[in-house]
Amino acid sequence: MDNRESEIRVGFVNPRYNSLLVALAYFAGGSLLYALDLGVLVEDRPPQPLWVWLVLLACVCAPMTMRRTRPLLALLLGTFPVLVDLVVGPSLPVWIAYGDLLYTATLFGSARTSRFLERAPLVPIVVGAVALGVYFGELRIAVWAVSIAALVIVVPIWWARSVRTHRDAAEIERARAEALSRVAELDRRAAITTERQRLARDLHDVVAGHLSSIAIQSEAALRLRDSDPDRALTVLESVRSGSVAALQEMQSMVRLLRSDDTDEITTAGRLADLEPLTASARAAGTSVRIDGRPPADLDAEVDLTAYRIVQETLTNAVKHAPGRPVTLRFDDADGRLGIEVVNPIGDPDTPDPSPARGAGHGLRNIAERAAAVGGHARSGRDGNEWRTYVQLPIANRSTT
């Protein structure tokens, strides 16, 4: 069913049945006018038997059964008995019924038909009225003809045009509302996808990073339990502190998921709090050297992003290059924060494990986090070193 037919069916169970009732109503009302001798408009014509008027009225009312499904065809079929009625002697019931056909053809026909019907009657009506006035030699006849024509022809057409204009405007507004609804739904889905990606990154940082560190430190503690019990105890203390930190971050994430505040940062973390990260790496046997200091007035989101990136790079270094030193450099030239993390991974011709040989989630998270705040990141093997370089804006682009 197209939009036009949907509009037709509003408020009616069956449009054909409704059109049949309308046709019967017009025929019954016209028959009553004929019976009361109120139907004939011109008295000086030869009188016609009642059945002639009823046949003409029936011929006009019969096409009304198609007034909504085939309005133009109904109008054409109704025009022939109207022309006969005009010759025999104009009668009010026939022209009233024909006005309904004009109305429905203008309202439910094509746009071209509707525009044509709006303009087509004007010239014939004026010419006919002038011709009648000249023929009878009375201005009153011309005025009377124009008034009757306006009543039964022009008014139904203009009324239908007005209804159609409002209906088309309503359809445009409805289509616009549906388009806005679709755009809102797409925005909602995009927001959900973005939030899921952010939660996936945070879960990877919290769970994978801490668990990886705990696993490596636990293995180191097992190796040292006999040879160096004191150091093994230090490693176990680091394991405990890392477990507590992971639990706190998971609790913070759960609170965020239960909260209605969508602007809240998922979990805490700032570059000023790097000591637990470096201590955890050192406890796993990886020395960390820090060159330079990050600015103290970083935007909160940029600060958290930088913290998460450093956390991920240290986790990768501990996992894929255990026991090898890591150098962490900071610089803030040209209004951007630069972070470089370098660690040796062996001879360039040997297949030493590197972060690229893993699943790649960490490297992808680093790039996504940097891009989310208007920065960029690149990671890769440089000779016998693995190098990660990140540039972030000093202030978040959303706040500038």
Side-chain angles (χ1 to χ4, degrees), residues 195 198 253-265:
E195 185 62 19
R198 186 173 71 137
M253 186 176 297
V254 171
R255 285 195 300 271
L256 172 67
L257 293 175
R258 292 178 175 176
S259 173
D260 294 331
D261 186 5
T262 57
D263 296 328
E264 180 182 348
I265 299 297

Side-chain angles (χ1 to χ4, degrees), residues 287 289 313 317 324-329 340-344 382 385-388:
S287 64
R289 182 168 64 90
T313 55
R324 296 179 179 178
V326 176
T327 301
L328 177 61
R329 301 188 181 94
E340 186 178 38
V341 184
V342 182
N343 63 277
D382 182 12
E385 294 180 331
W386 184 266
R387 189 180 303 273
T388 297

Side-chain angles (χ1 to χ4, degrees), residues 332-395:
D332 56 352
D334 299 327
R336 300 182 72 83
L337 171 63
I339 304 174
E340 186 178 38
V341 184
V342 182
N343 63 277
I345 55 177
D347 187 82
D349 297 327
T350 61
D352 285 328
S354 67
R357 297 175 61 86
H361 297 303
L363 298 182
R364 185 165 56 250
N365 286 346
I366 290 174
E368 290 177 354
R369 284 187 179 279
V373 295
H376 65 273
R378 63 177 184 271
S379 302
R381 187 165 185 165
D382 182 12
N384 63 344
E385 294 180 331
W386 184 266
R387 189 180 303 273
T388 297
Y389 183 74
V390 181
Q391 271 199 348
L392 304 176
I394 295 296

Side-chain angles (χ1 to χ4, degrees), residues 33 49 146:
L33 289 177
V146 170

Side-chain angles (χ1 to χ4, degrees), residues 153-353:
I153 296 178
V154 178
V155 170
I157 292 176
W158 285 1
W159 185 10
R161 285 291 295 174
S162 177
V163 174
R164 185 179 183 121
T165 299
H166 287 83
R167 186 193 63 184
D168 292 345
E171 289 179 351
I172 292 173
E173 289 299 324
R174 181 163 54 248
R176 183 180 302 170
E178 292 175 354
L180 291 175
S181 177
R182 287 193 295 269
V183 170
E185 177 63 18
L186 292 176
D187 288 343
R188 186 187 69 85
R189 292 181 181 180
I192 291 175
T193 301
T194 301
E195 185 62 19
R196 285 176 176 173
Q197 292 173 348
R198 186 173 71 137
L199 290 175
R201 289 194 299 267
D202 286 343
L203 283 172
H204 178 273
D205 293 341
V206 174
V207 177
H210 283 291
L211 290 182
S212 177
S213 177
I214 290 171
I216 295 172
Q217 292 176 10
S218 300
E219 183 180 358
L222 290 175
R223 290 198 309 266
L224 297 172
R225 63 180 178 178
D226 296 327
S227 61
D228 193 348
D230 293 337
R231 187 178 176 188
L233 182 60
T234 302
V235 174
L236 290 176
E237 290 175 350
S238 178
V239 169
R240 182 185 180 281
S241 63
S243 302
V244 172
L247 180 61
Q248 290 175 344
E249 293 197 28
M250 288 296 295
Q251 290 174 341
S252 176
M253 186 176 297
V254 171
R255 285 195 300 271
L256 172 67
L257 293 175
R258 292 178 175 176
S259 173
D260 294 331
D261 186 5
T262 57
D263 296 328
E264 180 182 348
I265 299 297
T266 305
T267 51
R270 289 183 174 275
L271 289 179
D273 303 325
L274 287 181
E275 179 58 31
L277 298 181
T278 58
S280 177
R282 294 188 183 102
T286 299
S287 64
V288 180
R289 182 168 64 90
I290 301 178
D291 292 342
R293 299 180 62 85
D297 56 347
L298 285 175
D299 178 85
E301 188 173 0
V302 174
D303 205 353
L304 175 61
T305 298
Y307 177 87
R308 289 301 188 200
I309 289 174
V310 172
Q311 182 183 33
E312 182 61 34
T313 55
L314 290 179
T315 299
N316 287 338
V318 171
K319 181 192 298 185
H320 299 286
R324 296 179 179 178
V326 176
T327 301
L328 177 61
R329 301 188 181 94
F330 294 100
D331 68 80
D332 56 352
D334 299 327
R336 300 182 72 83
L337 171 63
I339 304 174
E340 186 178 38
V341 184
V342 182
N343 63 277
I345 55 177
D347 187 82
D349 297 327
T350 61
D352 285 328

Side-chain angles (χ1 to χ4, degrees), residues 12 14-30 57 60-68 93 96-101 103-104 108:
F12 301 99
N14 190 323
R16 289 186 175 87
Y17 178 72
N18 175 75
S19 297
L20 177 60
L21 292 180
V22 171
L24 292 176
Y26 271 104
F27 184 79
L57 180 60
V60 177
C61 292
M64 286 185 179
T65 56
M66 300 182 295
R67 61 198 288 271
R68 290 177 175 256
I96 291 178
Y98 188 66
D100 181 87
L101 293 177
Y103 174 84
T104 53
F108 298 112

Side-chain angles (χ1 to χ4, degrees), residues 117-140:
L117 291 176
E118 183 181 21
R119 300 178 178 90
L122 298 180
V123 174
I125 289 175
V126 173
V127 172
V130 172
L132 287 175
V134 172
Y135 179 78
F136 291 101
E138 292 187 23
L139 179 61
R140 181 174 59 86

Side-chain angles (χ1 to χ4, degrees), residues 28-62:
S31 300
L32 179 61
L33 289 177
Y34 286 134
L36 298 176
D37 198 19
L38 299 176
V40 179
L41 296 176
V42 180
E43 295 293 344
D44 58 351
R45 296 291 183 90
Q48 301 293 335
L50 180 59
W51 66 268
V52 173
W53 304 115
L54 294 179
V55 168
L56 291 175
L57 180 60
C59 291
V60 177
C61 292

